Amino acid sequence: MTQEQSRQPGRLRLASYNIQKSVGLDLRRRPRRTLQVIEGTGADLVLLQEADKRLPPRPAALPHFILDEAGWQIVDLGGAGSLGWHGNAVIWRGDGIELQDHGHIPLPGLEPRGAVWALFQTGLGPLRVVGAHLGLTTKARHEQVHHLAEVIAREPALPTVWAGDFNDWSRQPVLDRLAPELRFVPPRASFPALRPMGALDRIAVSAGLEVVDSGVYRARPAHIASDHLPVWADLVAAGQA
């Protein structure tokens, strides 16, 4: 589906993509290839993981100027040239989407992990997005999901989307039980990119939103641009499907 097709009135396409610092399975860092995959999803709003290089000062792996040239706007979550925070970034493109606010959510665990959030005004109305890259251990992931749920519950009630690399290989609805106020999009294998077996990349929505379509973006060069494939969901306001 093209960018134009995804922008039907009252519909917004959101994608999540772990870009692996723009280093593909061919071990080449090719940011423009990463951008090609992002644009191929047809998404209006994208949550990225591993968007910055690993070592301080953690410069953007997908440089700002490449996104600027293509008309993407960037939520200012980083600093010193970073694209995001703890590798989590949010970008958007197109009319009818306006950034209202944004911030960070530190996450518990031994690994340095954090989530980001941004509040937009969109064609669906107010929309809060939360992007995260959860820990490698089951205990850490469960604590992090529970913490995120507690933090968001203290905020004003708004239609909310969680998306990111949840690092969860379980085929059971574990995440659903940890965040019962959310409805997770049915899992689809997105990792590893060449032969997907694990549904590590997930999207979930709160009350006020409905998912009318969703999937994994597989078109070339997504098979080699990262070790993950992007996942996407088409959203409408509740009752508008």
Side-chain angles (χ1 to χ4, degrees):
M1 182 177 287
T2 67
Q3 184 79 6
E4 289 73 24
Q5 287 174 317
S6 74
R7 289 183 182 167
Q8 298 176 21
R11 180 178 294 201
L12 181 145
R13 175 166 289 191
L14 179 142
S16 177
Y17 187 24
N18 183 330
I19 67 173
Q20 196 184 219
K21 305 172 184 66
S22 289
V23 176
L25 298 181
D26 56 0
L27 303 182
R28 296 181 179 180
R29 189 185 301 278
R30 297 181 59 186
R32 293 190 186 277
R33 178 173 62 185
T34 300
L35 179 62
Q36 180 183 350
V37 175
I38 290 170
E39 296 196 325
T41 67
D44 307 288
L45 182 59
V46 185
L47 286 78
L48 302 173
Q49 302 86 50
E50 297 194 26
D52 298 321
K53 298 179 183 179
R54 183 176 299 277
L55 298 177
R58 297 184 177 86
L62 180 56
H64 291 68
F65 76 89
I66 290 179
L67 291 167
D68 291 342
E69 288 174 355
W72 288 90
Q73 299 187 67
I74 304 164
V75 178
D76 185 12
L77 295 160
S82 297
L83 190 64
W85 188 67
H86 282 285
N88 298 293
V90 183
I91 62 174
W92 82 98
R93 185 169 71 174
D95 298 330
I97 303 177
E98 181 181 348
L99 180 65
Q100 304 283 306
D101 200 1
H102 62 274
H104 304 155
I105 305 173
L107 294 180
L110 295 177
E111 300 174 83
R113 299 273 179 175
V116 298
W117 63 270
L119 176 61
F120 294 93
Q121 185 60 237
T122 74
L124 312 184
L127 178 68
R128 179 193 294 122
V129 300
V130 178
H133 187 181
L134 300 186
L136 296 175
T137 69
T138 299
K139 182 176 184 292
R141 286 193 299 273
H142 291 185
E143 290 177 348
Q144 289 160 2
V145 170
H146 182 68
H147 180 72
L148 279 173
E150 286 189 331
V151 170
I152 298 303
R154 295 195 292 266
E155 298 297 320
L158 291 172
T160 298
V161 180
W162 290 19
D165 179 356
F166 281 59
N167 262 322
D168 184 46
W169 285 87
S170 174
R171 295 184 179 273
Q172 302 301 316
V174 176
L175 300 177
D176 308 56
R177 291 194 290 266
L178 292 169
E181 72 283 2
L182 297 174
R183 289 169 287 117
F184 278 82
V185 174
R188 292 182 172 87
S190 59
F191 177 89
L194 276 177
R195 185 171 293 180
M197 295 181 292
L200 306 190
D201 304 282
R202 302 296 304 275
I203 297 173
V205 301
S206 73
L209 295 170
E210 294 181 17
V211 176
V212 294
D213 200 4
S214 64
V216 178
Y217 181 74
R218 300 176 183 273
R220 292 173 179 264
H223 72 298
I224 197 172
S226 170
D227 58 346
H228 288 249
L229 296 171
V231 296
W232 57 269
D234 286 343
L235 310 175
V236 299
Q240 300 302 309

